[in-house]
Amino acid sequence: MPSAHLSNTSQPSASHAIPHGIAAFVTGTDTEIGKTFIASALLARARMRGLSTLGLKPVASDCFESHDGLVNADALSLQAQCEPPADYESINPWRFAPAIAPHIAARQAGVSLEVAKISRHIRHQRERAPRDLTLIEGAGGWRVPLNDEEDFSDLAIALELPVILVVGLRLGCINHARLTLEAIERDGLEVAGYVINHLEADMEVSEDNMATLSRTLKAPCLGVVPWVRDDDLTDSRHAAERAASYLQLPCGLESRSQHGHYD
């Protein structure tokens, strides 16, 4: 697989510069394509190679009640890959119970989701607990709304981060992947790489689809993750660690991680 190294121009601007570590925004070609699974696997790879990690999912719907209040399964999966450990509130401060689009769930709850507020929270987490790799996961795809005026893509733009695109391998994924990549680049952001995630045990002409993706997506491929049975995903930490072996880290971290932490 080609190297996924980005120049310094893809890092946050001087006014928001973080003295240590690399961050990327994780989006997908659609909802339910394994975005959290792949983000967790990338964090697991970094963690197992001696790097510090942080996974953030600032906004989440489809939450459930726990002894600590509302929590989200995806956010818990990211939390399991944080090294050193991170508290849940820092990972997922905006959470809603209904399994519906976040901007609708927020409206029903009387909560305002704003790019400025969410980006401040993310920058604060990075500043107070710098990590070698921080991944910020959106919700659904690139143009999922946060409110009537702003989308999750606006959050990535405000953070000035390179983007990792998770491509769920299924019918229609070539079009979705190409359109999403075009939209990311049109928004002025660099694509750190894409990951192909198998969603079926035996998709017809999967090799042909992957070959087309490789030819048409002008970005580094960070890996191809085979299909994982639903019952194998019940232990999200173990599943992510297994998937990590199929991936390489973005933004030049793969080579740096071989030598441990860096200044």
Side-chain angles (χ1 to χ4, degrees), residues 143-163:
R143 294 289 188 224
V144 168
L146 271 169
N147 54 52
D148 290 343
E149 304 295 333
E150 298 175 314
D151 301 330
F152 275 91
S153 56
D154 293 306
L155 177 61
I157 293 168
L159 293 168
E160 303 179 77
L161 294 178
V163 180

Side-chain angles (χ1 to χ4, degrees), residues 38-253:
I38 298 303
S40 298
L42 286 167
L43 291 170
R45 183 168 182 84
R47 179 178 56 77
M48 292 187 293
R49 294 170 73 86
L51 300 177
S52 57
T53 56
L54 178 64
L56 303 177
K57 188 177 179 70
V59 180
S61 52
D62 193 15
C63 297
F64 61 92
E65 285 288 348
S66 73
H67 62 279
D68 294 323
L70 278 179
V71 295
N72 174 265
D74 290 347
L76 289 172
S77 295
L78 295 175
Q79 184 182 32
Q81 300 300 335
C82 294
E83 182 61 41
D87 64 278
Y88 186 87
E89 183 66 27
S90 65
I91 293 168
N92 176 217
W94 289 275
R95 45 196 185 267
F96 310 98
I100 57 178
H103 72 293
I104 299 175
R107 185 186 304 143
Q108 291 181 352
V111 175
S112 175
L113 295 177
E114 301 171 4
V115 165
K117 188 183 302 181
I118 299 170
S119 60
R120 278 198 302 270
H121 170 80
I122 293 169
R123 289 193 180 100
H124 174 68
Q125 298 308 315
R126 293 190 67 200
E127 289 166 356
R128 80 180 184 93
R131 310 291 175 98
D132 293 307
L133 177 63
T134 299
L135 295 181
I136 297 99
E137 184 187 335
W142 187 243
R143 294 289 188 224
V144 168
L146 271 169
N147 54 52
D148 290 343
E149 304 295 333
E150 298 175 314
D151 301 330
F152 275 91
S153 56
D154 293 306
L155 177 61
I157 293 168
L159 293 168
E160 303 179 77
L161 294 178
V163 180
I164 296 171
L165 174 61
V166 180
V167 181
L169 193 65
R170 63 186 179 197
L171 187 63
C173 69
I174 295 172
N175 179 60
H176 292 161
R178 294 179 68 183
L179 287 175
T180 302
L181 190 144
E182 288 171 10
I184 293 168
E185 293 181 335
R186 191 164 55 247
D187 285 339
L189 297 179
E190 193 158 1
V191 179
Y194 67 92
V195 175
I196 297 175
N197 183 36
H198 280 74
L199 301 179
E200 304 171 15
D202 189 22
M203 177 185 172
E204 189 175 353
V205 297
S206 62
E207 293 295 330
D208 292 322
N209 278 274
M210 288 190 289
T212 302
L213 287 167
S214 177
R215 187 179 70 253
T216 58
L217 297 183
K218 306 305 180 185
C221 179
L222 301 179
V224 178
V225 177
W227 177 70
V228 179
R229 296 182 306 177
D230 288 344
D231 54 348
D232 288 336
L233 291 171
T234 53
D235 184 345
S236 62
R237 183 181 174 94
H238 180 64
E241 290 173 351
R242 286 175 54 194
S245 63
Y246 296 95
L247 300 172
Q248 67 172 354
L249 298 175
C251 307
L253 272 181

